[in-house]
Amino acid sequence: MRSFDDSTHLTHFLISEISHLVVSIFILLSQNLGLQHIHLLNMDILMKTLFTSASAILIATSLSAGAAQPAAPKNPLSVHVLNLQTGSPTAGIEVELDQKQNNNWVKLASGKTDSNGRISALFPEDKTASAGSYRVVFKTGDYYKMNNQKTFFPEIPVEFNMESNGEHYHIPLLLSPFGYSTYRGN
């Protein structure tokens, strides 16, 4: 299934698909009616008219749909774990989100990476993200124990600062039994 980041991408995709469909119908009709040659000028006019009409309809539809339904707020935090040994996503790793409050870490949420090695919404839905110090703790020891492998890092805490500017924070973890790397993703 194809997904789209915004209505502009969806609009361009739909216009392209409609254009291909109309061209296919035009060619089939021409063949069925016994017309051996499709006049290129007519095809050009047809495509320009189709593109203009479809653009106007789809843009109007997406604008009215956008006005009727405000966009849902995006979760401010996601994580992704990749196994450097296999080059594949790492499913089943428990990840905990903590916030520093009065010099103590307070647990806000936890989850397990999915089959793609991701948790796309780790920040609690019922809370508003505020500026401050946070950490995600990847519970890698449990993962390696389940897979009968030794590891040097039973947990990997990644501390970071979050601003209250509505940005999305993505924290990928590149993992192996005796080393890891992380960075701020997008």
Side-chain angles (χ1 to χ4, degrees):
M1 174 181 273
R2 187 172 179 143
S3 64
F4 299 93
D5 295 332
D6 60 30
S7 61
T8 304
H9 289 109
L10 175 61
T11 301
H12 289 156
F13 174 76
L14 290 174
I15 290 170
S16 172
E17 291 301 307
I18 290 169
S19 299
H20 287 96
L21 179 63
V22 170
V23 168
S24 298
I25 291 170
F26 188 76
I27 291 170
L28 285 173
L29 284 174
S30 298
Q31 290 172 348
N32 288 337
L33 294 174
L35 300 175
Q36 298 301 322
H37 303 352
I38 298 173
H39 197 276
L40 293 178
L41 180 59
N42 289 341
M43 180 65 84
D44 186 50
I45 292 169
L46 175 69
M47 292 305 296
K48 286 179 183 174
T49 304
L50 172 71
F51 184 77
T52 304
S53 300
S55 295
I57 291 167
L58 291 172
I59 289 171
T61 303
S62 67
L63 289 176
S64 64
Q69 299 175 351
K74 190 173 186 178
N75 193 288
L77 181 63
S78 60
V79 298
H80 190 193
V81 182
L82 294 170
N83 185 325
L84 288 174
Q85 282 184 304
T86 63
S88 60
T90 309
I93 291 198
E94 185 180 340
V95 181
E96 181 179 303
L97 171 64
D98 303 325
Q99 182 180 27
K100 197 169 203 175
Q101 298 174 2
N102 299 324
N103 288 327
N104 294 313
W105 289 108
V106 177
K107 181 178 176 179
L108 297 181
S110 65
K112 280 197 175 194
T113 56
D114 64 15
S115 61
N116 292 317
R118 296 178 182 272
I119 300 175
S120 60
L122 186 56
F123 202 88
E125 296 290 332
D126 61 340
K127 295 191 184 304
T128 302
S130 59
S133 296
Y134 293 84
R135 75 175 175 190
V136 288
V137 181
F138 296 89
K139 310 284 184 162
T140 55
D142 297 337
Y143 168 79
Y144 282 115
K145 189 175 192 176
M146 278 185 357
N147 290 289
N148 296 320
Q149 284 187 291
K150 292 182 179 182
T151 181
F152 188 68
F153 301 102
E155 290 187 344
I156 299 173
V158 179
E159 294 184 29
F160 61 100
N161 293 316
M162 189 181 283
E163 304 291 327
S164 60
N165 56 10
E167 286 188 30
H168 180 77
Y169 293 81
H170 180 67
I171 301 173
L173 178 69
L174 306 175
L175 180 62
S176 74
F178 300 99
Y180 67 90
S181 177
T182 188
Y183 57 95
R184 181 178 178 184
N186 58 15

